[in-house]
Amino acid sequence: LYPNKIEPYLNYTNILIFNKQYEEALSHLLICYDLDKKNETTINNLAFVYFQIKEYKKSEKIGKIGLNINKKNYFIFNVLGQLYLKKDEIDKSVNNFNIAIKLNKNFWPAYDNLLSLYEKTNKLKLFKNLLEEAKITFNKTQYFTKLKYYESMFYFRNDNFKESLSILNTIKNQLES
């Protein structure tokens, strides 16, 4: 690649990350970081890759560096939310996902992570409220099926099995058509 030019390295690391080649991506991201310690894309990808390879302390450290550079970095808040969830720090996780959503209402991964967390921890009122908010934002997008799944889980958790099954059948029919 091109020494002293960060963009080709970043483009290449994006391909590696997409293909889940995290270790190789990490080596190139470290080169990017050496070239520019304040590049937001590099820091976002480093935090994400460290998280994916279970280097949680490094992920948290680089994430905090990223927030010192840009306090409105919704991507980092989402990664930190995932990290705190892995560490079973539920309140910190919820807080970070909520901040990510507040900073970018169109950032599906934060909604997805927080909906999953609320569903698994049986926080049904919060789950329902967030689901309604997400349906307004994402109802006509590629996330529609996932939203319907969460809706079916809401009914399931409230012992409304008939409605839950009906929604799952709707999803099944859409996927088969």
Side-chain angles (χ1 to χ4, degrees):
L1 295 173
Y2 308 94
N4 301 324
K5 301 276 187 184
I6 198 168
E7 291 306 316
Y9 285 106
L10 286 176
N11 291 336
Y12 185 59
T13 60
N14 286 336
I15 294 167
L16 294 171
I17 291 168
F18 180 79
N19 289 303
K20 299 181 182 190
Q21 295 174 290
Y22 300 122
E23 295 288 345
E24 188 175 350
L26 178 60
S27 66
H28 294 286
L29 285 167
L30 292 173
I31 293 169
C32 294
Y33 190 66
D34 284 341
L35 292 172
D36 182 356
K37 293 194 178 348
K38 293 187 177 189
N39 183 287
E40 199 168 323
T41 303
T42 300
I43 290 169
N44 288 352
N45 287 343
L46 268 173
F48 177 77
V49 166
Y50 278 135
F51 176 79
Q52 292 299 319
I53 63 173
K54 298 177 177 43
E55 294 275 352
Y56 300 133
K57 286 182 181 179
K58 289 180 181 179
S59 179
E60 184 175 21
K61 181 180 177 183
I62 199 77
K64 288 180 178 180
I65 289 169
L67 291 178
N68 284 331
I69 294 167
N70 178 3
K71 298 201 180 319
K72 294 183 178 185
N73 188 329
Y74 59 89
F75 185 89
I76 292 293
F77 279 109
N78 185 62
V79 171
L80 290 173
Q82 292 173 305
L83 174 77
Y84 295 131
L85 185 57
K86 286 284 184 191
K87 294 166 71 175
D88 208 30
E89 296 179 40
I90 303 301
D91 291 340
K92 284 173 100 174
S93 180
V94 167
N95 184 51
N96 277 273
F97 291 141
N98 275 319
I99 293 170
I101 290 168
K102 182 180 176 189
L103 292 171
N104 186 344
K105 294 277 188 200
N106 295 309
F107 188 57
W108 169 253
Y111 280 94
D112 190 23
N113 289 325
L114 190 53
L115 283 165
S116 179
L117 174 62
Y118 284 159
E119 189 268 325
K120 288 176 183 163
T121 57
N122 214 27
K123 295 182 179 185
L124 298 182
K125 184 174 181 177
L126 293 169
F127 179 73
K128 179 68 172 170
N129 291 340
L130 186 63
L131 178 60
E132 292 305 316
E133 180 183 327
K135 284 167 59 176
I136 292 167
T137 304
F138 300 104
N139 208 24
K140 302 288 185 203
T141 69
Q142 68 269 29
Y143 307 114
F144 177 77
T145 301
K146 189 77 180 238
L147 283 169
K148 294 306 272 182
Y149 165 76
Y150 281 127
E151 188 174 12
S152 77
M153 291 309 299
F154 174 78
Y155 287 112
F156 180 83
R157 293 286 186 163
N158 282 287
D159 297 329
N160 188 340
F161 304 116
K162 183 178 178 182
E163 187 63 27
S164 178
L165 185 58
S166 173
I167 292 169
L168 289 174
N169 281 327
T170 299
I171 293 170
K172 178 181 173 253
N173 292 336
Q174 286 177 339
L175 292 174
E176 290 175 345
S177 62

